Amino acid sequence: MKPSQPYQPFLLRTLHGLTGLFLICAVLTAFWTYNTYDGRWGKIPLPDYREIEGIHGTFGLWTLLIFPAFVVYAFHRGQRRLVQPDSFPQLSKVGKPIWWYTLNRFTNTFTLIALTFALFSGKMMSEKWLPRGELNHAWYYAHLISWVIVVVAIALHLLMNAKVGGVPLLLSMLNWRFREQDSPKLWSTHLSSWWSNLRQSSGTAWFQAVQAMPVLELATLVSITAAWIIPLFK
């Protein structure tokens, strides 16, 4: 008997799928951009397509636009998939199932951090640098490093999820069926309710809500916000 697929919330699959799709496209076009304009650490025989930098930037922008929603979801409804307060002690139970689940949570968290670094460093770059042959900017090197880290993070993310859940878990993220209570038709209602509660909150409630946010979530959202604001003053 084939193991049944676990059910994943449809909103998770949507945000995860869009983020993953845009990210993979950004990763592939990032290498093509490096291959076209740089290639100091090795090249492969790809066409020198000068417009590839703009295409890479577009995929990076789409990832940046959807990523904040995914971050909020991950740190709230998806919190159990990330590092927990007792995660470090669990690492001592080497080889046991909880050890693998804990490593998976660390890998998921690491992937969010890696993507934040990649998006931030990318926004700190200028689209004029590479066409001008300016390859020694610190933020360009940082973005190259972030590319390596993201590739490693994606590989670990896939391997660890395959280890703890096998093929059924991986395929469950590609299943587009959803339960009635998980229907996209209800998303606007949930969003309206959330916005109404938010508008009715006092300034003190806002401050308490920010204080209650996990440090990593707050740092991630601040980094994404800064990625939009800082380039305006360059």
Side-chain angles (χ1 to χ4, degrees):
M1 180 181 295
K2 294 182 180 180
S4 60
Q5 291 183 6
Y7 181 76
Q8 306 291 348
F10 188 62
L11 181 57
L12 169 63
R13 282 176 277 154
T14 301
L15 294 174
H16 183 278
L18 290 174
T19 303
L21 175 63
F22 297 151
L23 175 59
I24 291 174
C25 290
V27 166
L28 295 176
T29 53
F31 181 81
W32 196 348
T33 300
Y34 157 81
N35 201 77
T36 298
Y37 287 98
D38 194 343
R40 285 173 289 178
W41 296 280
K43 297 181 64 173
I44 62 175
L46 290 173
D48 285 343
Y49 184 51
R50 311 300 286 186
E51 288 76 17
I52 193 62
E53 184 190 17
I55 296 174
H56 167 65
T58 298
F59 284 125
L61 177 61
W62 290 350
T63 307
L64 182 61
L65 290 173
I66 195 68
F67 188 53
F70 182 57
V71 167
V72 172
Y73 184 97
F75 280 98
H76 292 274
R77 294 189 63 183
Q79 175 59 37
R80 62 185 178 85
R81 293 179 171 89
L82 303 178
V83 172
Q84 306 294 309
D86 62 346
S87 289
F88 284 99
Q90 301 290 2
L91 290 176
S92 62
K93 302 176 181 179
V94 180
K96 296 183 178 180
I98 188 60
W99 186 68
W100 288 107
Y101 282 110
T102 301
L103 286 181
N104 186 43
R105 288 173 176 142
F106 272 101
T107 301
N108 293 339
T109 306
F110 172 64
T111 304
L112 291 178
I113 296 173
L115 182 49
T116 302
F117 176 41
L119 292 172
F120 184 82
S121 60
K123 284 291 287 182
M124 294 302 103
M125 289 182 56
S126 169
E127 67 277 6
K128 299 178 182 179
W129 290 349
L130 297 185
R132 291 176 178 174
E134 300 177 12
L135 305 178
N136 294 315
H137 290 278
W139 281 117
Y140 173 59
Y141 285 122
H143 200 49
L144 285 178
I145 294 171
S146 76
W147 181 87
V148 176
I149 296 174
V150 165
V151 170
V152 172
I154 292 174
L156 290 175
H157 178 65
L158 292 174
L159 288 173
M160 291 306 304
N161 278 278
K163 173 63 181 179
V164 301
V167 175
L169 176 60
L170 297 179
L171 293 179
S172 69
M173 298 302 294
L174 302 177
N175 189 342
W176 288 101
R177 295 181 180 178
F178 53 84
R179 297 170 181 170
E180 185 177 352
Q181 64 271 24
D182 207 14
S183 172
K185 295 180 181 179
L186 301 176
W187 291 356
S188 59
T189 302
H190 295 323
L191 183 60
S192 298
S193 177
W194 171 80
W195 180 247
S196 178
N197 292 333
L198 192 65
R199 291 181 61 185
Q200 294 173 8
S201 299
S202 63
T204 302
W206 271 74
F207 182 71
Q208 291 175 344
V210 172
Q211 282 186 314
M213 292 173 66
V215 174
L216 187 55
E217 179 190 7
L218 183 59
T220 301
L221 293 176
V222 168
S223 298
I224 295 172
T225 303
W228 287 105
I229 295 175
I230 293 177
L232 298 177
F233 298 94
K234 292 169 64 176

